[in-house]
Amino acid sequence: MGRRRVGRSIWQFGNDNLFFSSSGQCLFRLVLPSELVLFLLLSLAGSVKGGDPYVYYEWDVSYLSVSPLGVKQQVIGINRQFPGPTLNVTTNWNVVVNVHNNLDESFLITWNGIQHRKNAWQDGVSGTNCPIPPGWNWTYAFQVKDQIGSFFYFPSINFHRAAGGYGGIVVNNRDIIPLPFGSPDGDVTLAIGDWYKTNFKDLRKAFDEGKEPASPDGVLFNGLGPYRYNDSTVPAGIAFETINVEPGKTYRFRVHNVGVAISLNFRIQNHNLLLVETEGSYTVQQNYTNMDIHVGQSYSFLVTMDQNASTDYYVVASPRLIDSTSGHTVSGVAILHYSNSQGPASGPLPDVPNESDIYASMNQARSIRWNVSASAARPNPQGSFRYGDITVTDLFVILNKPAELINGRWRRTLNGISYVAPVTPLKLAQQYDVPGVYKLDFPNKMLNRLPKVDTSLINGSYKGFVEIVFQNNDTHVHTYHLDGYAFFVVGMDYGVWTENSRGVYNKWDGVARCTAQVFPGAWTAILVYLDNAGIWNLRTQNLNSWYLGQELYVSVVNPESTEKSESPVPDNVLFCGELSSLQRQQSSRFRYSDACLIHNGWLVSLVGSLAWAGLLLSW
């Protein structure tokens, strides 16, 4: 098989004229002689020289049968993997992911923390995209513009995240941008999260019927159950994650809480965690013995293998900040294995922080600071690090409450509104002027009225600098995520937020991230610069509450020029709801034995090179 480099991307070709990505995945078929294919590729190399590279993925989403906690169950895999493959890209690369939905119901993927500058069409949530029907495919195409760091992707509809379908995203620095630390000897991605043995459809049905499911059955590490650290609580025969390391070397651990609803305390026995980055921002480097990682959050640590390896070591993710009566006590446990280890891990797990100290986790969160001197892509306003001196243009105090009955059904609310997703995605309704789909009237504070179900959006001011305060009146930790942006976490405390609370804000080096925790009976304040036009999802990452309506959208429109501030509608956009008549049927289910289906966009340059010869492309 021949191989040629086009720009900085790798293309391969063979006798059957199937093209492959560097990962060996099929891209498309050209019905051409190999000699002509080589000529055209060399021509194309010249035409794209100097452009940002492309990376291509073909993903088959399907059910798998696995037994992570000792009981066989159905999970959602990608390319027969659970968790799915890690997206490993570099700042400014263009990412093309062709998703084949082989499930029995519609499916969407969202890219947690990827900002999709000017391109909400790729966000993969119900407000921006029609779901991919069973047996169909859809191609995401987005650029990781001006970003670095550790993120993850996951299914965004139908309670699918409780069944898997998630995986890590690594956005590396460009070669010309140095890391603010020595290059690690290895890179480890860990997806941790609480897990149910119950099928996700049954969990979903329970919520639809107003029933609260029992506590999760365990915690997984990369789709695997716990090492048998305790014979009475962990049954025999469960496969567990093993991380193989070399003594004296330093590894970067990227840890994501991809679970349903439970905060987890992450720690490695006898090893320090040097925090270096969270969700796209390099941090002031500090050592921790453990870290509370809340649902939807991502951290990366440098861990040096400086122990004598008398045994293997526990890597632990334990439930944190939960009701003591919940009965959820089983930890997720992986094994850190030195190449010269002298025996298996044994004995008790390393201690979890004191649950009775309600300030311990909050003080830890406050200690995480932004490394303002590091060279890297930064959140807007570009070049302005004194965010504390920027005038706030809008204030929203968003209050959540425990579940309440609305029209005879249990729902969860923000400022008294439980979001209901319309059948026509908000972004399509905005683009095609479909009336009556949504309202731009989300209140900036809790109003004295009965709770209701509605599709109410924040009418964001383009390039406004907005202060958002999350007030948690619930009994457990919530995490809130905003698509399309990184925001500055400037303060958090127990009690009710007032304007006097601004006196404790961090106005210099509050970390910029995309997911912030709000402790029960407490508030968290963020600042965000609304320079990314589009319609963006603001949600709780706790899947139970999200499913019951605890989300909203922020509409950000440039009043002067939509064309310059937003990408046009993708040529391959899916239509549904009020716009279903615009959708053309995909002629048949995809066939894995044939050439892979692609959409236009990334192939435009090649199509242009072929057009002069009047050649036929089949895909």
Side-chain angles (χ1 to χ4, degrees):
M1 175 175 284
R3 174 178 286 211
R4 294 293 184 271
R5 182 177 292 273
V6 180
R8 290 176 61 193
S9 300
I10 297 292
W11 299 62
Q12 302 175 4
F13 61 93
N15 294 332
D16 57 358
N17 295 331
L18 281 175
F19 282 65
F20 295 82
S21 68
S22 57
S23 63
Q25 294 167 320
C26 169
L27 290 179
F28 58 90
R29 173 173 291 172
L30 289 177
V31 188
L32 300 171
S34 293
E35 294 80 2
L36 182 54
V37 171
L38 176 58
F39 168 77
L40 290 170
L41 281 178
L42 293 175
S43 299
L44 178 58
S47 69
V48 300
K49 184 178 180 179
D52 292 316
Y54 281 76
V55 61
Y56 306 92
Y57 294 87
E58 287 285 335
W59 282 4
D60 167 29
V61 179
S62 62
Y63 293 123
L64 304 177
S65 181
V66 299
S67 305
L69 295 177
V71 177
K72 186 168 289 188
Q73 63 183 120
Q74 188 182 70
V75 304
I76 295 174
I78 298 177
N79 293 349
R80 309 293 302 172
Q81 298 177 47
F82 170 62
T86 297
L87 284 178
N88 196 324
V89 298
T90 297
T91 301
N92 292 346
W93 280 19
N94 297 282
V95 182
V96 181
V97 185
N98 189 18
V99 176
H100 302 267
N101 179 12
N102 203 33
L103 305 180
D104 57 358
E105 54 188 49
S106 296
F107 183 81
L108 272 179
I109 288 178
T110 192
W111 317 90
N112 204 64
I114 301 302
Q115 293 176 15
H116 302 294
R117 304 293 300 176
K118 302 181 180 181
N119 197 7
W121 298 107
Q122 307 299 323
D123 200 26
V125 288
S126 66
T128 58
N129 297 83
C130 294
I132 306 169
W136 286 43
N137 73 295
W138 196 71
T139 303
Y140 293 86
F142 56 88
Q143 186 179 28
V144 287
K145 181 70 173 173
D146 296 333
Q147 288 192 261
I148 57 92
S150 308
F151 312 97
F152 67 96
Y153 60 86
F154 67 88
S156 63
I157 60 173
N158 292 336
F159 219 75
H160 285 158
R161 196 175 81 208
Y166 47 70
I169 302 174
V170 174
V171 184
N172 302 290
N173 281 28
R174 292 180 295 165
D175 293 340
I176 61 173
I177 305 296
L179 290 168
F181 45 82
S183 295
D185 298 298
D187 204 292
V188 179
T189 293
L190 294 176
I192 60 176
D194 56 314
W195 187 259
Y196 288 88
K197 297 176 184 177
T198 305
N199 184 278
F200 77 94
K201 293 181 181 179
D202 294 327
L203 292 173
R204 188 174 67 198
K205 182 180 178 183
F207 279 108
D208 289 338
E209 295 175 348
K211 302 172 184 176
E212 188 77 20
S215 297
D217 297 296
V219 174
L220 302 190
F221 266 87
N222 285 351
L224 298 174
Y227 172 80
R228 200 177 190 195
Y229 65 94
N230 184 313
D231 291 350
S232 64
T233 58
V234 181
I238 290 180
F240 56 87
E241 177 78 344
T242 298
I243 304 161
N244 295 305
V245 295
E246 295 294 329
K249 294 188 179 296
T250 297
Y251 296 80
R252 184 171 180 175
F253 282 67
R254 303 175 191 262
V255 189
H256 314 280
N257 187 336
V258 299
V260 173
I262 290 183
S263 301
L264 296 172
N265 180 265
F266 177 80
R267 56 206 187 275
I268 302 177
Q269 185 180 29
N270 293 356
H271 291 74
N272 284 325
L273 308 173
L274 180 64
L275 178 65
V276 295
E277 177 259 333
T278 179
E279 297 167 13
S281 289
Y282 290 123
T283 63
V284 173
Q285 295 175 24
Q286 301 178 75
N287 272 313
Y288 296 87
T289 56
N290 62 82
M291 178 62 69
D292 288 341
I293 305 179
H294 306 280
V295 179
Q297 291 187 328
S298 300
Y299 289 92
S300 66
F301 311 95
L302 295 183
V303 183
T304 299
M305 304 304 137
D306 54 5
Q307 298 301 299
N308 60 17
S310 57
T311 64
D312 293 337
Y313 298 92
Y314 294 127
V315 184
V316 186
S318 295
R320 184 81 165 102
L321 303 170
I322 60 173
D323 185 344
S324 60
T325 63
S326 68
H328 183 61
T329 58
V330 178
S331 296
V333 182
I335 290 298
L336 185 73
H337 175 74
Y338 281 58
S339 61
N340 62 341
S341 173
Q342 300 173 35
S346 61
L349 300 179
D351 290 337
V352 69
N354 185 357
E355 284 289 324
S356 64
D357 184 354
I358 64 171
Y359 277 96
S361 187
M362 181 178 286
N363 287 336
Q364 183 186 71
R366 289 168 170 166
S367 72
I368 299 170
R369 301 300 178 101
W370 194 25
N371 186 343
V372 297
S373 63
S375 298
R378 296 185 181 276
N380 281 333
Q382 291 289 352
S384 177
F385 307 130
R386 296 186 181 275
Y387 59 82
D389 296 334
I390 301 173
T391 300
V392 170
T393 59
D394 294 287
L395 167 66
F396 287 85
V397 180
I398 300 177
L399 182 143
N400 79 321
K401 297 170 68 174
E404 50 195 325
L405 278 173
I406 304 177
N407 301 330
R409 298 190 66 180
W410 288 103
R411 303 285 299 180
R412 290 191 178 259
T413 62
L414 296 173
N415 281 1
I417 298 175
S418 185
Y419 180 84
V420 58
V423 294
T424 306
L426 307 172
K427 188 64 185 159
L428 280 175
Q430 180 191 66
Q431 180 71 31
Y432 290 91
D433 296 321
V434 181
V437 173
Y438 61 87
K439 306 170 187 173
L440 293 171
D441 64 352
F442 189 86
N444 62 3
K445 62 181 179 180
M446 185 71 177
L447 301 179
N448 184 19
R449 64 186 185 187
L450 293 175
K452 64 177 181 176
V453 174
D454 208 348
T455 307
S456 179
L457 280 60
I458 288 178
N459 189 9
S461 300
Y462 183 63
K463 294 194 174 179
F465 197 60
V466 181
E467 179 181 10
I468 301 176
V469 179
F470 298 103
Q471 182 76 53
N472 184 3
N473 281 17
D474 208 342
T475 57
H476 58 269
V477 179
H478 276 267
T479 47
Y480 288 94
H481 173 91
L482 177 60
D483 285 347
Y485 295 95
F487 50 70
F488 300 99
V489 182
V490 294
M492 60 181 66
D493 204 351
Y494 284 99
V496 177
W497 182 90
T498 69
E499 292 188 2
N500 293 332
S501 301
R502 293 181 177 130
V504 301
Y505 281 9
N506 176 352
K507 297 183 178 181
W508 167 243
D509 61 356
V511 70
R513 62 187 311 166
C514 58
T515 305
Q517 69 270 48
V518 192
F519 294 93
W523 56 266
T524 294
I526 67 172
L527 297 174
V528 58
Y529 182 57
L530 299 182
D531 69 328
N532 190 14
I535 290 181
W536 302 105
N537 189 219
L538 175 59
R539 61 178 177 268
T540 178
Q541 295 278 49
N542 304 64
L543 188 57
N544 300 350
S545 298
W546 184 12
Y547 185 74
L548 293 180
Q550 208 166 82
E551 66 173 322
L552 58 94
Y553 284 80
V554 182
S555 174
V556 183
V557 177
N558 182 351
E560 297 180 0
S561 175
T562 302
E563 292 183 0
K564 291 183 179 180
S565 58
E566 290 194 63
S567 299
V569 181
D571 292 337
N572 66 336
V573 68
L574 294 176
F575 294 99
C576 55
E578 296 293 325
L579 298 171
S580 296
S581 61
L582 300 179
Q583 179 63 46
R584 291 187 296 179
Q585 292 293 316
Q586 293 190 352
S587 58
S588 63
R589 291 178 62 89
F590 41 82
R591 293 175 295 165
Y592 300 102
S593 59
D594 203 351
C596 299
L597 179 66
I598 65 166
H599 290 282
N600 57 358
W602 59 269
L603 194 55
V604 167
S605 296
L606 183 55
V607 171
S609 299
L610 293 169
W612 62 269
L615 297 169
L616 174 65
L617 278 161
S618 69
W619 58 80

